[in-house]
Amino acid sequence: MSEQKIDNRLWSAKARNLSPYVPGEQPQHDNLCKLNTNENPFPPSPAVAAAIAKLLAEQACELRLYPAPESDDLRSALAGLHNLDSNQVFVGNGSDEVLALIFASFFMKERPILAPDISYSFYPVYAQTFGVELVKIALENDFSIDPDAYRQPCSGIIIANPNAPTGLLLGLDDIRKLADEHSNAVIVIDEAYIDFASTDEGQSVSAISLINEFDNLLVTQTFSKSRSLAGLRVGMAFSNPSLIEALTRMKNSFNSYPLDKLAQAGARASVLDHDYFEQTCQKVIDLRESLTSKLTDLGYQVLPSHANFVFARPQDGNASDVADALREQGIIVRHFDKARISEYLRITIGTAAQHERLIEALTAIHATDATAN
Ligand SMILES: *Cc1c(COP(=O)(O)O)cnc(C)c1O
């Protein structure tokens, strides 16, 4: 970004007053150990590239035609995966776009929406973009969410579950309680990380299992994390046909073709290769557990994560210094300079080799700490 002052004379007041979301950096250096944006360290299913290659080889000429506007084949694959009807599934260009359409469809009302004070930092940005008042509800001291704290008039509630950047999971009973107590509000559960949640004996932890019970519950998910497809930009929402219809109307009043043909074909292939998906999630979960114990050995306090990252506090809380020291060695993790969480680092689960490099670097960093003290 240039430091120069940009001439914004011709901008609308809206454009002038926005404060856009700043994604985690994507530096392009060799040998960088990139553990800052919660991408999956493993490649997507080989079926994804095969489906896209096939489309290009056999039907390249079809790229001159518009894609299926409602991504029917992809939606029906997703419906099949979750035992739903296609009219309970919506897809968009990344779940960020789906979330934007949710704000426009359900939250632009008189009453505010409620969200945890520590959560995905895009929610306040959307609230500003769409002129929605967002009331932040404080997490408990242990960073958990208390549904009773949400007992106030609102047009909606949005909660990332597992929460970001804490990685903590809210149980289905608490989600049920929120949906039940706020029957006139739309309850949005952003499940960007749900596929990494540790389940008790295969019990479902996704709120998708509740959407037939509540007409005000909407669940979003993404292909970016558990399906290793952040670059393809595919996200989705699951709900009842009425809320899905509202999203479709909003989409078709903004961009009728958010998913191109390659994205539709690739995403569908990923859904159909369920074994690969499950194996990859399990590998990430296993790596998360081993990283958690290594960090604990180094004196870190690590929150019990259900995501593909850990949220960890070094013994003396000097997270910002640790992040800087790691950066000098080409290891990038995320530090939030924000009240309550400034003493923590969010570290994306990487490969075993990346973890080795991280732990080696941290061991050295904290050894110098000890000599300095
Ligand atoms: C990564 C993430 C998203 C966005 O995912 P995309 O599908 O890549 O847009 C949404 N919500 C949360 C909580 C996330 O961490």
Side-chain angles (χ1 to χ4, degrees), residues 94-96 99 120 123 160 164 190 192-193 222 224-225 233-234:
S95 62
D96 283 342
L99 290 167
Y120 187 36
Y123 305 149
D190 177 351
Y193 301 104
T222 175
S224 297
K225 279 76 183 226
R233 310 305 305 132
V234 185

Side-chain angles (χ1 to χ4, degrees), residues 70 87-90 98 100-107 109 186 215 218 237 239-254:
E70 309 304 339
N87 64 3
Q88 294 179 284
V89 183
F90 179 82
V98 176
L101 295 169
I102 287 170
F103 271 70
S105 304
F106 308 117
F107 293 168
K109 297 178 188 157
V186 176
D215 59 11
L218 194 144
S239 188
N240 57 71
S242 155
L243 298 192
I244 294 300
E245 176 61 22
L247 287 176
T248 307
R249 287 167 64 97
M250 193 58 72
K251 165 186 90 81
N252 289 329
S253 307
F254 178 69

Side-chain angles (χ1 to χ4, degrees), residues 111-346:
R111 287 178 169 179
I113 62 160
L114 314 178
D117 60 340
I118 296 164
S119 192
Y120 187 36
S121 47
F122 221 137
Y123 305 149
V125 175
Y126 286 133
Q128 193 198 38
T129 306
F130 294 101
V132 171
E133 186 193 348
L134 186 154
V135 174
K136 292 184 176 176
I137 309 293
L139 294 181
E140 302 296 288
N141 284 333
D142 62 0
F143 294 132
S144 65
I145 289 170
D146 175 10
D148 293 342
Y150 288 73
R151 284 211 189 103
Q152 51 179 286
C154 62
S155 69
I157 297 175
I158 183 160
I159 289 176
N161 193 43
N163 198 12
T166 63
L168 299 187
L169 185 73
L170 185 68
L172 286 185
D173 284 346
D174 286 335
I175 294 171
R176 210 179 253 123
K177 185 169 178 182
L178 284 170
D180 199 38
E181 289 181 359
H182 297 271
S183 54
N184 290 320
V186 176
I187 311 301
V188 177
I189 307 297
D190 177 351
E191 295 190 337
Y193 301 104
I194 197 74
D195 299 321
F196 304 111
S198 300
T199 56
D200 294 333
E201 286 134 31
Q203 285 276 59
S204 169
V205 287
S206 168
I208 292 177
S209 60
L210 304 180
I211 61 176
N212 287 326
E213 234 177 282
F214 297 98
D215 59 11
N216 59 335
L217 183 64
L218 194 144
V219 178
T220 62
Q221 292 188 356
T222 175
F223 282 69
S224 297
K225 279 76 183 226
S226 56
R227 295 187 179 274
S228 314
L229 287 171
L232 204 64
R233 310 305 305 132
V234 185
M236 58 276 203
F238 303 96
S239 188
N240 57 71
S242 155
L243 298 192
I244 294 300
E245 176 61 22
L247 287 176
T248 307
R249 287 167 64 97
M250 193 58 72
K251 165 186 90 81
N252 289 329
S253 307
F254 178 69
N255 177 6
S256 313
Y257 306 102
L259 287 195
D260 61 65
K261 288 191 182 214
L262 306 182
Q264 291 186 32
R268 179 168 176 274
S270 164
V271 173
L272 297 182
D273 191 356
H274 197 64
D275 288 349
Y276 181 93
F277 165 74
E278 291 201 313
Q279 285 158 17
T280 308
C281 289
Q282 193 56 50
K283 279 202 280 190
V284 172
I285 292 169
D286 293 346
L287 282 160
R288 175 183 74 208
E289 299 313 312
S290 75
L291 181 63
T292 299
S293 73
K294 285 174 193 151
L295 287 169
T296 308
D297 290 348
L298 278 175
Y300 278 70
Q301 179 210 342
V302 188
L303 299 193
S305 172
H306 289 269
N308 70 335
F309 56 82
V310 292
F311 203 51
R313 182 186 179 280
Q315 212 154 31
D316 49 6
N318 59 346
S320 164
D321 294 342
V322 174
D324 291 344
L326 285 173
R327 172 179 298 271
E328 278 173 27
Q329 304 190 37
I331 302 171
I332 315 285
V333 300
R334 194 93 191 254
H335 173 255
F336 299 90
D337 194 10
K338 249 174 83 168
R340 293 186 75 186
I341 56 170
S342 63
E343 296 190 344
Y344 287 79
L345 294 173
R346 193 195 68 190

